[in-house]
mmCIF file of all heavy atoms in Angstrom:
data_model
loop_
_atom_site.group_PDB
_atom_site.id
_atom_site.type_symbol
_atom_site.label_atom_id
_atom_site.label_comp_id
_atom_site.label_asym_id
_atom_site.label_seq_id
_atom_site.Cartn_x
_atom_site.Cartn_y
_atom_site.Cartn_z
ATOM 1 N N ASN A 820 9.069 -19.714 29.420
ATOM 2 C CA ASN A 820 8.995 -19.283 28.027
ATOM 3 C C ASN A 820 9.091 -20.489 27.106
ATOM 4 O O ASN A 820 9.510 -21.577 27.504
ATOM 5 C CB ASN A 820 10.133 -18.308 27.719
ATOM 6 C CG ASN A 820 9.866 -16.918 28.250
ATOM 7 O OD1 ASN A 820 9.136 -16.146 27.647
ATOM 8 N ND2 ASN A 820 10.475 -16.596 29.399
ATOM 9 N N TRP A 821 8.724 -20.276 25.845
ATOM 10 C CA TRP A 821 8.895 -21.325 24.843
ATOM 11 C C TRP A 821 9.515 -20.707 23.594
ATOM 12 O O TRP A 821 9.434 -19.500 23.367
ATOM 13 C CB TRP A 821 7.562 -22.000 24.513
ATOM 14 C CG TRP A 821 6.433 -21.091 24.103
ATOM 15 C CD1 TRP A 821 6.163 -20.613 22.859
ATOM 16 C CD2 TRP A 821 5.409 -20.562 24.951
ATOM 17 N NE1 TRP A 821 5.052 -19.832 22.871
ATOM 18 C CE2 TRP A 821 4.550 -19.789 24.134
ATOM 19 C CE3 TRP A 821 5.115 -20.679 26.318
ATOM 20 C CZ2 TRP A 821 3.433 -19.114 24.645
ATOM 21 C CZ3 TRP A 821 4.008 -20.016 26.820
ATOM 22 C CH2 TRP A 821 3.182 -19.245 25.992
ATOM 23 N N PRO A 822 10.171 -21.515 22.788
ATOM 24 C CA PRO A 822 10.859 -20.977 21.598
ATOM 25 C C PRO A 822 9.861 -20.456 20.564
ATOM 26 O O PRO A 822 8.748 -20.957 20.448
ATOM 27 C CB PRO A 822 11.649 -22.179 21.071
ATOM 28 C CG PRO A 822 10.916 -23.372 21.603
ATOM 29 C CD PRO A 822 10.374 -22.961 22.942
ATOM 30 N N LEU A 823 10.291 -19.441 19.828
ATOM 31 C CA LEU A 823 9.430 -18.781 18.845
ATOM 32 C C LEU A 823 9.955 -19.005 17.430
ATOM 33 O O LEU A 823 11.163 -19.081 17.198
ATOM 34 C CB LEU A 823 9.367 -17.273 19.119
ATOM 35 C CG LEU A 823 8.943 -16.847 20.524
ATOM 36 C CD1 LEU A 823 8.963 -15.331 20.641
ATOM 37 C CD2 LEU A 823 7.559 -17.401 20.859
ATOM 38 N N VAL A 824 9.022 -19.088 16.492
ATOM 39 C CA VAL A 824 9.372 -19.184 15.077
ATOM 40 C C VAL A 824 8.595 -18.119 14.306
ATOM 41 O O VAL A 824 7.542 -17.662 14.737
ATOM 42 C CB VAL A 824 9.056 -20.580 14.497
ATOM 43 C CG1 VAL A 824 9.921 -21.643 15.134
ATOM 44 C CG2 VAL A 824 7.575 -20.915 14.641
ATOM 45 N N SER A 825 9.148 -17.738 13.163
ATOM 46 C CA SER A 825 8.488 -16.778 12.280
ATOM 47 C C SER A 825 8.950 -17.054 10.863
ATOM 48 O O SER A 825 9.833 -17.891 10.635
ATOM 49 C CB SER A 825 8.846 -15.347 12.704
ATOM 50 O OG SER A 825 8.110 -14.402 11.947
ATOM 51 N N ALA A 826 8.353 -16.356 9.909
ATOM 52 C CA ALA A 826 8.765 -16.563 8.519
ATOM 53 C C ALA A 826 10.248 -16.284 8.350
ATOM 54 O O ALA A 826 10.963 -16.996 7.639
ATOM 55 C CB ALA A 826 7.951 -15.663 7.596
ATOM 56 N N SER A 827 10.720 -15.231 9.020
ATOM 57 C CA SER A 827 12.137 -14.867 9.027
ATOM 58 C C SER A 827 12.515 -14.482 10.450
ATOM 59 O O SER A 827 11.646 -14.165 11.262
ATOM 60 C CB SER A 827 12.392 -13.687 8.078
ATOM 61 O OG SER A 827 12.077 -14.021 6.745
ATOM 62 N N PRO A 828 13.806 -14.499 10.774
ATOM 63 C CA PRO A 828 14.212 -14.108 12.135
ATOM 64 C C PRO A 828 13.752 -12.688 12.450
ATOM 65 O O PRO A 828 13.883 -11.778 11.621
ATOM 66 C CB PRO A 828 15.740 -14.189 12.082
ATOM 67 C CG PRO A 828 16.033 -15.125 10.953
ATOM 68 C CD PRO A 828 14.943 -14.894 9.940
ATOM 69 N N GLN A 829 13.194 -12.468 13.646
ATOM 70 C CA GLN A 829 12.753 -11.128 14.013
ATOM 71 C C GLN A 829 12.503 -11.051 15.512
ATOM 72 O O GLN A 829 12.369 -12.064 16.194
ATOM 73 C CB GLN A 829 11.470 -10.736 13.263
ATOM 74 C CG GLN A 829 10.257 -11.593 13.609
ATOM 75 C CD GLN A 829 8.935 -10.863 13.383
ATOM 76 O OE1 GLN A 829 8.755 -9.724 13.814
ATOM 77 N NE2 GLN A 829 8.020 -11.525 12.697
ATOM 78 N N GLN A 830 12.456 -9.826 15.994
ATOM 79 C CA GLN A 830 11.950 -9.500 17.318
ATOM 80 C C GLN A 830 10.802 -8.528 17.109
ATOM 81 O O GLN A 830 11.001 -7.453 16.543
ATOM 82 C CB GLN A 830 13.020 -8.838 18.198
ATOM 83 C CG GLN A 830 14.038 -9.773 18.794
ATOM 84 C CD GLN A 830 15.016 -9.000 19.669
ATOM 85 O OE1 GLN A 830 15.790 -8.189 19.177
ATOM 86 N NE2 GLN A 830 14.982 -9.257 20.967
ATOM 87 N N TYR A 831 9.602 -8.888 17.572
ATOM 88 C CA TYR A 831 8.463 -7.998 17.347
ATOM 89 C C TYR A 831 8.717 -6.638 17.996
ATOM 90 O O TYR A 831 8.550 -5.597 17.356
ATOM 91 C CB TYR A 831 7.180 -8.623 17.880
ATOM 92 C CG TYR A 831 5.979 -7.708 17.723
ATOM 93 C CD1 TYR A 831 5.504 -7.382 16.453
ATOM 94 C CD2 TYR A 831 5.346 -7.161 18.833
ATOM 95 C CE1 TYR A 831 4.419 -6.526 16.294
ATOM 96 C CE2 TYR A 831 4.261 -6.311 18.686
ATOM 97 C CZ TYR A 831 3.801 -6.001 17.416
ATOM 98 O OH TYR A 831 2.722 -5.157 17.257
ATOM 99 N N LEU A 832 9.103 -6.621 19.258
ATOM 100 C CA LEU A 832 9.531 -5.392 19.916
ATOM 101 C C LEU A 832 11.058 -5.411 19.924
ATOM 102 O O LEU A 832 11.671 -6.165 20.688
ATOM 103 C CB LEU A 832 9.003 -5.308 21.349
ATOM 104 C CG LEU A 832 7.485 -5.248 21.541
ATOM 105 C CD1 LEU A 832 7.135 -5.183 23.025
ATOM 106 C CD2 LEU A 832 6.890 -4.054 20.801
ATOM 107 N N PRO A 833 11.706 -4.628 19.082
ATOM 108 C CA PRO A 833 13.172 -4.678 18.994
ATOM 109 C C PRO A 833 13.823 -4.449 20.350
ATOM 110 O O PRO A 833 13.506 -3.517 21.079
ATOM 111 C CB PRO A 833 13.499 -3.538 18.023
ATOM 112 C CG PRO A 833 12.257 -3.385 17.187
ATOM 113 C CD PRO A 833 11.125 -3.671 18.122
ATOM 114 N N GLY A 834 14.715 -5.365 20.707
ATOM 115 C CA GLY A 834 15.431 -5.260 21.964
ATOM 116 C C GLY A 834 14.636 -5.676 23.183
ATOM 117 O O GLY A 834 15.160 -5.666 24.300
ATOM 118 N N VAL A 835 13.364 -6.059 22.980
ATOM 119 C CA VAL A 835 12.504 -6.445 24.098
ATOM 120 C C VAL A 835 11.995 -7.871 23.931
ATOM 121 O O VAL A 835 12.153 -8.717 24.819
ATOM 122 C CB VAL A 835 11.309 -5.477 24.238
ATOM 123 C CG1 VAL A 835 10.355 -5.959 25.334
ATOM 124 C CG2 VAL A 835 11.809 -4.062 24.533
ATOM 125 N N SER A 836 11.353 -8.137 22.801
ATOM 126 C CA SER A 836 10.769 -9.454 22.559
ATOM 127 C C SER A 836 11.847 -10.524 22.459
ATOM 128 O O SER A 836 12.991 -10.259 22.062
ATOM 129 C CB SER A 836 9.945 -9.442 21.262
ATOM 130 O OG SER A 836 8.878 -8.533 21.338
ATOM 131 N N ALA A 837 11.445 -11.746 22.795
ATOM 132 C CA ALA A 837 12.341 -12.884 22.584
ATOM 133 C C ALA A 837 12.561 -13.061 21.084
ATOM 134 O O ALA A 837 11.625 -12.914 20.291
ATOM 135 C CB ALA A 837 11.729 -14.144 23.187
ATOM 136 N N PRO A 838 13.778 -13.358 20.656
ATOM 137 C CA PRO A 838 14.024 -13.536 19.224
ATOM 138 C C PRO A 838 13.296 -14.766 18.687
ATOM 139 O O PRO A 838 13.228 -15.813 19.340
ATOM 140 C CB PRO A 838 15.542 -13.735 19.146
ATOM 141 C CG PRO A 838 16.076 -13.210 20.438
ATOM 142 C CD PRO A 838 15.006 -13.473 21.453
ATOM 143 N N ALA A 839 12.741 -14.616 17.497
ATOM 144 C CA ALA A 839 12.115 -15.740 16.796
ATOM 145 C C ALA A 839 13.051 -16.185 15.683
ATOM 146 O O ALA A 839 13.563 -15.362 14.925
ATOM 147 C CB ALA A 839 10.766 -15.311 16.214
ATOM 148 N N ARG A 840 13.253 -17.504 15.592
ATOM 149 C CA ARG A 840 14.108 -18.022 14.521
ATOM 150 C C ARG A 840 13.269 -18.274 13.263
ATOM 151 O O ARG A 840 12.045 -18.342 13.315
ATOM 152 C CB ARG A 840 14.793 -19.318 14.947
ATOM 153 C CG ARG A 840 13.846 -20.477 15.198
ATOM 154 C CD ARG A 840 14.596 -21.784 15.447
ATOM 155 N NE ARG A 840 13.701 -22.878 15.807
ATOM 156 C CZ ARG A 840 13.015 -23.603 14.911
ATOM 157 N NH1 ARG A 840 13.143 -23.359 13.600
ATOM 158 N NH2 ARG A 840 12.224 -24.589 15.327
ATOM 159 N N GLU A 841 13.938 -18.402 12.143
ATOM 160 C CA GLU A 841 13.249 -18.691 10.893
ATOM 161 C C GLU A 841 12.728 -20.128 10.909
ATOM 162 O O GLU A 841 13.467 -21.068 11.196
ATOM 163 C CB GLU A 841 14.185 -18.484 9.705
ATOM 164 C CG GLU A 841 13.519 -18.748 8.359
ATOM 165 C CD GLU A 841 14.411 -18.356 7.198
ATOM 166 O OE1 GLU A 841 14.574 -17.137 6.979
ATOM 167 O OE2 GLU A 841 14.960 -19.264 6.536
ATOM 168 N N ILE A 842 11.462 -20.285 10.601
ATOM 169 C CA ILE A 842 10.854 -21.601 10.604
ATOM 170 C C ILE A 842 11.406 -22.425 9.439
ATOM 171 O O ILE A 842 11.591 -21.923 8.323
ATOM 172 C CB ILE A 842 9.317 -21.483 10.535
ATOM 173 C CG1 ILE A 842 8.647 -22.838 10.797
ATOM 174 C CG2 ILE A 842 8.856 -20.866 9.217
ATOM 175 C CD1 ILE A 842 7.132 -22.739 10.949
ATOM 176 N N THR A 843 11.685 -23.698 9.690
ATOM 177 C CA THR A 843 12.214 -24.580 8.642
ATOM 178 C C THR A 843 11.062 -25.276 7.918
ATOM 179 O O THR A 843 9.910 -25.268 8.373
ATOM 180 C CB THR A 843 13.131 -25.648 9.252
ATOM 181 O OG1 THR A 843 12.338 -26.533 10.071
ATOM 182 C CG2 THR A 843 14.231 -25.010 10.098
ATOM 183 N N ARG A 844 11.405 -25.924 6.817
ATOM 184 C CA ARG A 844 10.388 -26.646 6.066
ATOM 185 C C ARG A 844 9.811 -27.785 6.904
ATOM 186 O O ARG A 844 8.592 -28.039 6.868
ATOM 187 C CB ARG A 844 10.986 -27.184 4.768
ATOM 188 C CG ARG A 844 10.060 -28.022 3.882
ATOM 189 C CD ARG A 844 8.809 -27.291 3.416
ATOM 190 N NE ARG A 844 7.627 -27.685 4.180
ATOM 191 C CZ ARG A 844 6.382 -27.355 3.872
ATOM 192 N NH1 ARG A 844 6.124 -26.611 2.824
ATOM 193 N NH2 ARG A 844 5.377 -27.744 4.619
ATOM 194 N N ASP A 845 10.639 -28.457 7.651
ATOM 195 C CA ASP A 845 10.134 -29.523 8.517
ATOM 196 C C ASP A 845 9.187 -28.959 9.579
ATOM 197 O O ASP A 845 8.142 -29.549 9.876
ATOM 198 C CB ASP A 845 11.292 -30.264 9.190
ATOM 199 C CG ASP A 845 12.054 -31.151 8.208
ATOM 200 O OD1 ASP A 845 11.503 -31.426 7.105
ATOM 201 O OD2 ASP A 845 13.188 -31.544 8.535
ATOM 202 N N ASP A 846 9.571 -27.800 10.156
ATOM 203 C CA ASP A 846 8.690 -27.142 11.133
ATOM 204 C C ASP A 846 7.350 -26.788 10.494
ATOM 205 O O ASP A 846 6.294 -26.924 11.116
ATOM 206 C CB ASP A 846 9.322 -25.855 11.665
ATOM 207 C CG ASP A 846 10.592 -26.099 12.459
ATOM 208 O OD1 ASP A 846 10.713 -27.169 13.070
ATOM 209 O OD2 ASP A 846 11.461 -25.208 12.460
ATOM 210 N N MET A 847 7.403 -26.302 9.260
ATOM 211 C CA MET A 847 6.181 -25.875 8.562
ATOM 212 C C MET A 847 5.216 -27.043 8.391
ATOM 213 O O MET A 847 3.997 -26.889 8.531
ATOM 214 C CB MET A 847 6.536 -25.258 7.214
ATOM 215 C CG MET A 847 7.236 -23.901 7.353
ATOM 216 S SD MET A 847 8.190 -23.415 5.884
ATOM 217 C CE MET A 847 6.891 -23.214 4.684
ATOM 218 N N THR A 848 5.766 -28.205 8.129
ATOM 219 C CA THR A 848 4.925 -29.398 8.003
ATOM 220 C C THR A 848 4.269 -29.746 9.335
ATOM 221 O O THR A 848 3.070 -30.059 9.403
ATOM 222 C CB THR A 848 5.762 -30.579 7.495
ATOM 223 O OG1 THR A 848 6.320 -30.239 6.221
ATOM 224 C CG2 THR A 848 4.914 -31.827 7.368
ATOM 225 N N VAL A 849 5.052 -29.666 10.415
ATOM 226 C CA VAL A 849 4.515 -29.964 11.751
ATOM 227 C C VAL A 849 3.398 -28.986 12.099
ATOM 228 O O VAL A 849 2.336 -29.378 12.601
ATOM 229 C CB VAL A 849 5.640 -29.907 12.805
ATOM 230 C CG1 VAL A 849 5.068 -29.986 14.220
ATOM 231 C CG2 VAL A 849 6.649 -31.030 12.572
ATOM 232 N N VAL A 850 3.618 -27.698 11.835
ATOM 233 C CA VAL A 850 2.611 -26.678 12.149
ATOM 234 C C VAL A 850 1.352 -26.911 11.316
ATOM 235 O O VAL A 850 0.219 -26.830 11.827
ATOM 236 C CB VAL A 850 3.180 -25.264 11.921
ATOM 237 C CG1 VAL A 850 2.065 -24.221 11.976
ATOM 238 C CG2 VAL A 850 4.259 -24.953 12.949
ATOM 239 N N ARG A 851 1.541 -27.196 10.043
ATOM 240 C CA ARG A 851 0.369 -27.448 9.176
ATOM 241 C C ARG A 851 -0.456 -28.607 9.715
ATOM 242 O O ARG A 851 -1.697 -28.517 9.794
ATOM 243 C CB ARG A 851 0.838 -27.756 7.752
ATOM 244 C CG ARG A 851 -0.310 -27.985 6.762
ATOM 245 C CD ARG A 851 0.209 -28.632 5.492
ATOM 246 N NE ARG A 851 0.698 -29.993 5.762
ATOM 247 C CZ ARG A 851 1.620 -30.610 5.036
ATOM 248 N NH1 ARG A 851 2.195 -30.012 3.997
ATOM 249 N NH2 ARG A 851 1.990 -31.844 5.349
ATOM 250 N N GLU A 852 0.192 -29.684 10.082
ATOM 251 C CA GLU A 852 -0.543 -30.848 10.586
ATOM 252 C C GLU A 852 -1.201 -30.561 11.931
ATOM 253 O O GLU A 852 -2.254 -31.117 12.248
ATOM 254 C CB GLU A 852 0.396 -32.053 10.679
ATOM 255 C CG GLU A 852 0.881 -32.551 9.320
ATOM 256 C CD GLU A 852 -0.282 -32.772 8.352
ATOM 257 O OE1 GLU A 852 -1.238 -33.488 8.703
ATOM 258 O OE2 GLU A 852 -0.233 -32.194 7.234
ATOM 259 N N ALA A 853 -0.604 -29.671 12.723
ATOM 260 C CA ALA A 853 -1.244 -29.273 13.986
ATOM 261 C C ALA A 853 -2.531 -28.510 13.705
ATOM 262 O O ALA A 853 -3.550 -28.710 14.384
ATOM 263 C CB ALA A 853 -0.278 -28.423 14.809
ATOM 264 N N PHE A 854 -2.501 -27.641 12.696
ATOM 265 C CA PHE A 854 -3.721 -26.925 12.290
ATOM 266 C C PHE A 854 -4.789 -27.915 11.833
ATOM 267 O O PHE A 854 -5.969 -27.784 12.171
ATOM 268 C CB PHE A 854 -3.413 -25.941 11.159
ATOM 269 C CG PHE A 854 -3.014 -24.566 11.614
ATOM 270 C CD1 PHE A 854 -1.689 -24.147 11.575
ATOM 271 C CD2 PHE A 854 -3.968 -23.670 12.069
ATOM 272 C CE1 PHE A 854 -1.323 -22.876 11.981
ATOM 273 C CE2 PHE A 854 -3.618 -22.395 12.478
ATOM 274 C CZ PHE A 854 -2.291 -21.989 12.440
ATOM 275 N N VAL A 855 -4.379 -28.909 11.072
ATOM 276 C CA VAL A 855 -5.332 -29.909 10.570
ATOM 277 C C VAL A 855 -5.957 -30.680 11.728
ATOM 278 O O VAL A 855 -7.177 -30.897 11.775
ATOM 279 C CB VAL A 855 -4.641 -30.860 9.579
ATOM 280 C CG1 VAL A 855 -5.546 -32.051 9.247
ATOM 281 C CG2 VAL A 855 -4.251 -30.124 8.304
#
Side-chain angles (χ1 to χ4, degrees):
N820 282 280
W821 54 85
L823 305 179
V824 295
S825 186
S827 298
Q829 64 154 312
Q830 282 181 293
Y831 177 66
L832 297 179
V835 175
S836 299
R840 65 173 175 82
E841 181 172 287
I842 190 171
T843 67
R844 178 59 258 190
D845 288 344
D846 295 331
M847 290 159 66
T848 301
V849 171
V850 169
R851 182 195 66 206
E852 293 309 307
F854 270 104
V855 170

